[in-house]
């Protein structure tokens, strides 16, 4: 009896049918409200409103100097919002789930979410070009269109999407609640940590939370594309398997035996010879009848050339007779 972990996993029952989230009215309302909040943050920064003033107050407060004992710990904690390490960790977990549930949807959903994250957040970063607190040039300025790339906060948006995808793909309501709370705490902590370290303005973090939440709320619109991509990948896999099964391995050939699919050749000297009928009493010679042996039933009485009496080229095979045979 096997006791290894893979044997125990094989005995586990398959999970129930996974419910794919749909764009419900509640989700659509949240998407609309988050979009409005996103636009309000962008406009508030562009017009250098009270939000920019708050950014400068928090920056000049310098939290990393007020609580220096937290600096070392938060330097490690902020890695939970870094794209590379978090993507590897979450992809490993979702890859195991894909193997257990016999579906590629978890990995494809993660890939779609990260693709949307990089495209949307990256475009806004480069388009607005805001400088970070450490590179600010004028007190009270929004530092927009100056060649920067920190608005919105990529660490914050990545934390929302990467850890929130676990709640999005949860198979039970209880797991979804717990994972939603956990991802919210991690995303909130990562965003505030970037403000503590002085790498982002507070408004960067607010926009990063909104950007990540928009991707999670709008992900059900991508589900048809995810299902189509999964069908294509599985079809290609089945085609490759079919091609591999179609190439039958060559069978081993015994020494001296015939190869499969090749006609068996007669050994040298075993070819058919015309068999002559005995001479009739009237002296007529019977017609020679050639007996052909089929491929499946070779002649059992074929003799090897070395066992036959050699025949001279000029001689005759018929024994000499002293007198002609006449009819009786």
């Amino acid at each position: 009896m096997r006791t290894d972990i893979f044997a125990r996993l094989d005995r586990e029952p398959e999970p129930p049918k996974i419910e794919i989230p749909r764009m419900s009215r509640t989700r659509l309302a949240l998407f609309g409200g988050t979009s409005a909040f996103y636009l309000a943050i962008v406009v508030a920064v562009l017009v250098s409103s009270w939000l920019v003033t708050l950014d400068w107050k928090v920056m000049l407060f310098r939290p990393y100097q007020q609580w220096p004992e937290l600096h070392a710990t938060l330097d490690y904690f902020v890695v939970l919002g870094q794209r590379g390490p978090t993507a590897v960790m979450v992809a490993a977990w979702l890859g195991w789930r894909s193997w257990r549930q016999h579906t590629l949807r978890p990995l494809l959903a993660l890939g779609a979410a990260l693709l949307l994250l990089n495209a949307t957040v990256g475009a806004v970063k480069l388009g607005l070009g805001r400088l970070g607190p450490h590179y600010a040039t004028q007190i009270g300025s929004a530092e927009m269109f100056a060649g920067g790339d920190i608005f919105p906060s990529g660490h914050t948006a990545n934390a929302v999407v990467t850890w929130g995808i676990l709640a999005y793909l949860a198979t039970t309501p209880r797991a979804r609640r717990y994972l939603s709370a956990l991802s919210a705490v991690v995303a909130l902590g990562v965003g505030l940590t970037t403000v503590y370290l002085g790498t982002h303005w507070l408004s960067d973090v607010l926009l990063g939370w909104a950007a990540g939440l928009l991707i999670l709320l709008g992900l059900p619109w991508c589900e048809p594309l995810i299902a189509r991509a999964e069908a294509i990948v599985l079809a290609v896999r089945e085609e490759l398997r079919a091609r591999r099964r179609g190439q039958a391995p060559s069978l081993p050939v015994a020494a001296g035996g015939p190869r499969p699919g090749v006609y068996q050749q007669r050994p040298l000297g075993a070819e058919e010879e015309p068999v002559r009928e005995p001479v009739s009493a009237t002296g007529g010679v019977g017609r020679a009848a050639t007996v052909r042996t089929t491929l499946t039933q070779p002649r059992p009485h074929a003799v090897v050339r070395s066992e036959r009496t050699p025949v001279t080229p000029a001689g005759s095979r018929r024994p000499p007779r002293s007198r002609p045979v006449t009819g009786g």
Side-chain angles (χ1 to χ4, degrees), residues 19-39:
E19 181 181 358
I20 298 177
R22 300 182 181 275
M23 187 56 73
S24 61
R25 292 184 178 180
T26 302
R27 185 180 288 270
L28 193 59
L30 291 175
F31 186 86
T34 307
S35 300
F37 179 77
Y38 187 99
L39 293 176

Side-chain angles (χ1 to χ4, degrees), residues 41-42 45 124-125 128 130 144 149-152 203-204 207:
I41 296 296
V42 173
V45 174
V124 176
K125 278 176 174 286
L128 297 179
R130 191 182 191 186
M144 301 291 287
D149 58 351
I150 59 132
F151 185 66
S203 56
D204 298 344
L207 196 64

Side-chain angles (χ1 to χ4, degrees), residues 17-23 105 168 176 220 223-224 227 230:
K17 184 179 180 181
I18 302 173
E19 181 181 358
I20 298 177
R22 300 182 181 275
M23 187 56 73
R105 179 174 169 264
Y168 176 83
R176 185 174 293 111
E223 287 293 344
E230 181 182 14

Side-chain angles (χ1 to χ4, degrees), residues 20-313:
I20 298 177
R22 300 182 181 275
M23 187 56 73
S24 61
R25 292 184 178 180
T26 302
R27 185 180 288 270
L28 193 59
L30 291 175
F31 186 86
T34 307
S35 300
F37 179 77
Y38 187 99
L39 293 176
I41 296 296
V42 173
V43 172
V45 174
L46 287 175
V47 300
S48 298
S49 66
W50 61 269
L51 186 57
V52 176
T53 304
L54 181 61
D55 286 340
W56 275 99
K57 288 182 178 181
V58 174
M59 181 264 190
L60 294 175
F61 181 70
R62 291 182 174 84
Y64 57 89
Q65 292 183 355
Q66 302 296 327
W67 302 285
E69 64 277 3
L70 300 177
H71 199 289
T73 303
L74 294 180
D75 268 340
Y76 290 101
F77 178 77
V78 79
V79 177
L80 295 178
Q82 196 168 349
R83 187 172 298 111
T86 55
V88 171
M89 289 187 290
V90 174
W93 167 254
L94 295 181
W96 182 84
R97 277 192 53 186
S98 295
W99 175 69
R100 287 291 300 140
Q101 297 174 354
H102 306 285
T103 176
L104 296 176
R105 179 174 169 264
L107 287 177
L108 293 176
L110 175 63
L114 293 180
L115 182 62
L116 290 174
L117 173 69
N118 293 332
T120 56
V121 174
V124 176
K125 278 176 174 286
L126 297 178
L128 297 179
R130 191 182 191 186
L131 294 176
H134 293 311
Y135 303 96
T137 59
Q138 183 179 356
I139 296 178
S141 172
E143 303 295 336
M144 301 291 287
F145 309 108
D149 58 351
I150 59 132
F151 185 66
S153 170
H155 274 69
T156 305
N158 184 73
V160 174
V161 172
T162 306
W163 302 109
I165 198 71
L166 298 179
Y168 176 83
L169 294 173
T171 55
T172 61
R174 182 179 181 182
R176 185 174 293 111
R177 287 194 298 268
Y178 288 159
L179 290 174
S180 298
L182 178 62
S183 61
V185 170
V186 173
L188 181 66
V190 169
L192 294 180
T193 299
T194 61
V195 175
Y196 167 86
L197 296 174
T199 57
H200 280 287
W201 307 98
L202 180 60
S203 56
D204 298 344
V205 174
L206 295 177
L207 196 64
W209 285 332
L213 189 57
L214 283 176
I215 293 175
L216 290 180
L217 290 174
L219 204 56
W221 280 326
C222 300
E223 287 293 344
L225 294 177
I226 293 173
R228 188 177 305 174
E230 181 182 14
I232 292 174
V233 172
L234 294 180
V236 171
R237 186 191 66 176
E238 292 300 325
E239 182 179 356
L240 293 176
R241 287 182 176 178
R243 290 182 180 180
R244 194 174 305 166
R245 286 193 298 264
Q247 297 175 355
S250 57
L251 299 176
V253 180
R259 295 175 56 189
V262 179
Y263 290 112
Q264 183 179 0
Q265 297 180 356
R266 297 188 185 92
L268 186 62
E271 66 273 7
E272 291 299 328
E273 294 291 341
V275 179
R276 302 182 184 275
E277 294 181 353
V279 181
S280 61
T282 60
V285 180
R287 185 177 55 184
T290 304
V291 180
R292 301 183 179 273
T293 307
T294 60
L295 294 174
T296 56
Q297 296 180 356
R299 288 186 59 186
H301 56 277
V303 296
V304 184
R305 185 180 299 273
S306 60
E307 298 177 359
R308 289 161 41 188
T309 304
V311 179
T312 57

